[in-house]
Amino acid sequence: MNAPTKIQAADHGVSLREALGVWARIALLSFGGPAGQIALMHRVLVEEKHWLSETRFLHALNYCMLLPGPEAQQLATYVGWLMHGTRGGVMAGGLFVLPGAVAIMALSIIYALLGKLGFVAATFFGLKAAVLAIVLQAVLRVGKRALRNRIMQGLAVAAFVGIFFFDVSFPLIILSAGLIGYFGGRAKLSQFAGGGHGGANASADGGSLLGDGFCALATPSVVSALKVAAIWLILWLAPVAALLALLGPANVFSQIAVFFSKMAMVTFGGAYAVLAYVAQQAVDNLHWLQSREMLDGLGMAETTPGPLIMVLQFVGFLAAYRQPGALPPLIAGALGGLLTTWVTFAPCFLWIFLGAPFVEKMRGDKALAGALVAITAAVVGVILNLAIWFAIHVLFGEVVAVHGFGLSFAAPVLASVNPWALLLTAGAMIAVFRFNVGMLQTLAACMAAGVLLYLFGA
């Protein structure tokens, strides 16, 4: 068996400047939560640009799903690193956050001053319908490629049923799938064959710019790992330590830095998995904001580009705005929001730059490949769960909690269906599935329709 070839960072022929345009486009269109963002990146990076193959995309996604923090932002960082090293990773991951950070900051200021965001919500009303159609398209496309046999299909179904109906924790689902796949791959069962080196999808890798070779960046060592860890730990924690030393632990800025640094280490399973805990702590214990304000902040994050975890910036803004000390309230709020964003996302770069070289190096390991193939199947079920969650909240105004016989899920109140949202979603799905209308055209048309409905009082 021939050893896989190494590819240099420049071999793919994509310049850093060209990549900047692609990442900026992805960042500006990254609506719809993690499912929508993953769908967007899959469509742009795999189907349109052919930067990387389906196998490589899923390999990177699976690793990011195992990490604390927003998986979509970390996936962008991972692919940016694969393409252009650390500079590419910082550019891709930073750009992914930037539009949402700017939008949430502007909306936070408006909220603090006026307390009304009706027009903003209406502006993005139509956009949600388009995003829902794109998410469902991604579930079908990724599922068609990843669920190649009955075992993979069974894992996807089990993951969906577990997380949607029984509220099984995301880490437990991923860990269980990984263990099943690890032992299946170790036993050399064909159903768990990885898509990379000689696997079922190997032929599909040839058409991508990165191909299936080992990236030359994947040369992990203890020295390089310690260097990366030292740099990013200092960047992340030095501001936290400085605030504690200068202002003391009781100061609101110190509390923000410490609280959200802790959140950055335990936010497994994406934004929805941690927002309930953050809301409880910020509302009931820290008294930074009220519960309805937390819901308003989530609405902001859902209707602006970027990770849903950007809602934490709104929380940090209000916390500092209401305890400004000697600073003007708006200045304090802006600093509190920026501090929250920094301690939330700086660790994401640490996880990627520290772990990605090792993950890439182990792509040829059959047991690891089996684990990641099984995780891929489970992730399809998780993405379907996110898509249905998103659909319920787009199409219905009310949900009711269902508990009993081990079940725990939110069911829509059918009478609360929004007919305009249903109509726009149906139109977007017809455009995407029947007429193959492009993503940008679908997004623009649905947004325009939403604005018109608002202007006519619908």
Side-chain angles (χ1 to χ4, degrees):
M1 179 177 176
N2 295 327
T5 57
K6 283 191 176 183
I7 44 178
Q8 303 297 326
D11 284 350
H12 47 65
V14 179
S15 68
L16 198 63
R17 185 172 183 176
E18 180 183 350
L20 174 64
V22 174
W23 291 119
R25 174 192 171 199
I26 289 174
L28 290 170
L29 297 176
S30 58
F31 295 90
Q37 292 152 5
I38 291 168
L40 171 66
M41 280 190 280
H42 180 272
R43 184 159 182 169
V44 173
L45 302 176
V46 177
E47 298 178 11
E48 293 182 12
K49 297 297 181 180
H50 304 290
W51 280 4
L52 65 167
S53 66
E54 184 80 25
T55 301
R56 201 155 201 152
F57 180 87
L58 293 175
H59 182 86
L61 174 60
N62 291 335
Y63 172 61
C64 295
M65 295 292 280
L66 296 173
L67 300 173
E71 57 267 33
Q73 187 266 351
Q74 290 168 334
L75 177 60
T77 305
Y78 192 118
V79 177
W81 170 82
L82 271 178
M83 295 293 292
H84 295 100
T86 301
R87 288 189 302 168
V90 171
M91 179 179 70
L95 275 177
F96 197 86
V97 173
L98 184 59
V102 172
I104 294 294
M105 183 63 71
L107 294 176
S108 298
I109 293 172
I110 295 171
Y111 190 91
L113 295 177
L114 303 178
K116 295 180 181 179
L117 294 171
F119 180 76
V120 175
T123 301
F124 292 103
F125 174 75
L127 194 62
K128 290 184 178 182
V131 169
L132 178 55
I134 293 169
V135 168
L136 292 174
Q137 184 186 50
V139 172
L140 291 176
R141 287 183 174 179
V142 175
K144 184 177 180 181
R145 295 181 175 97
L147 309 182
R148 305 188 306 267
N149 54 64
R150 292 189 180 277
I151 291 181
M152 296 301 113
Q153 294 162 6
L155 285 172
V157 170
F160 170 74
V161 171
I163 198 168
F164 186 85
F165 289 105
F166 295 95
D167 199 24
V168 178
S169 70
F170 176 84
L172 180 60
I173 288 174
I174 297 302
L175 178 62
S176 300
L179 287 174
I180 292 171
Y182 177 84
F183 289 108
R186 191 172 180 180
K188 300 182 180 180
L189 299 178
S190 60
Q191 294 92 334
F192 294 91
H197 314 294
N201 287 339
S203 60
D205 287 353
S208 65
L209 295 182
L210 287 179
D212 193 36
F214 284 123
C215 180
L217 297 166
T219 54
S221 68
V222 174
V223 173
S224 62
L226 290 175
K227 182 179 178 181
V228 168
I231 291 172
W232 286 97
L233 282 172
I234 290 172
L235 289 173
W236 170 22
L237 297 178
V240 179
L243 288 169
L244 286 170
L246 294 173
L247 303 178
N251 184 272
V252 67
F253 290 102
S254 299
Q255 291 177 339
I256 289 171
V258 172
F259 179 71
F260 290 113
S261 289
K262 291 179 181 177
M263 289 299 97
M265 293 186 288
V266 298
T267 52
F268 293 95
Y272 299 121
V274 75
L275 285 180
Y277 176 76
V278 171
Q280 181 184 35
Q281 295 298 312
V283 173
D284 298 332
N285 296 338
L286 296 169
H287 306 293
W288 285 344
L289 72 172
Q290 299 175 18
S291 57
R292 65 172 179 81
E293 293 174 325
M294 188 71 194
L295 292 175
D296 289 340
L298 182 58
M300 292 182 200
E302 287 177 334
T303 53
T304 51
L308 286 178
I309 205 73
M310 286 304 305
V311 66
L312 300 185
Q313 179 178 279
F314 173 73
V315 176
F317 178 97
L318 286 186
Y321 177 82
R322 288 165 177 167
Q323 301 179 53
L327 295 172
L330 284 180
I331 299 297
L335 292 175
L338 291 174
L339 174 61
T340 301
T341 299
W342 179 258
V343 297
T344 297
F345 288 99
C348 297
F349 295 98
L350 169 64
W351 313 142
I352 296 300
F353 295 143
L354 184 62
F358 293 93
V359 174
E360 281 295 306
K361 190 71 174 179
M362 294 187 292
R363 288 184 71 232
D365 184 276
K366 291 188 179 298
L368 177 65
L372 293 180
V373 165
I375 291 172
T376 297
V379 164
V380 173
V382 172
I383 295 176
L384 178 60
N385 161 71
L386 291 173
I388 292 179
W389 188 96
F390 187 60
I392 289 173
H393 287 78
V394 168
L395 301 177
F396 298 91
E398 298 178 31
V399 296
V400 59
V402 176
H403 298 287
F405 303 102
L407 296 171
S408 178
F409 65 97
V413 177
L414 298 181
S416 70
V417 64
N418 186 323
W420 293 113
L422 186 62
L423 182 63
L424 282 178
T425 300
M429 293 183 68
I430 291 171
V432 169
F433 287 98
R434 176 66 179 86
F435 296 104
N436 261 343
V437 177
M439 178 175 59
L440 290 177
Q441 294 92 325
T442 304
L443 290 169
C446 287
M447 178 176 271
V451 172
L452 287 174
L453 287 172
Y454 174 74
L455 292 176
F456 283 101

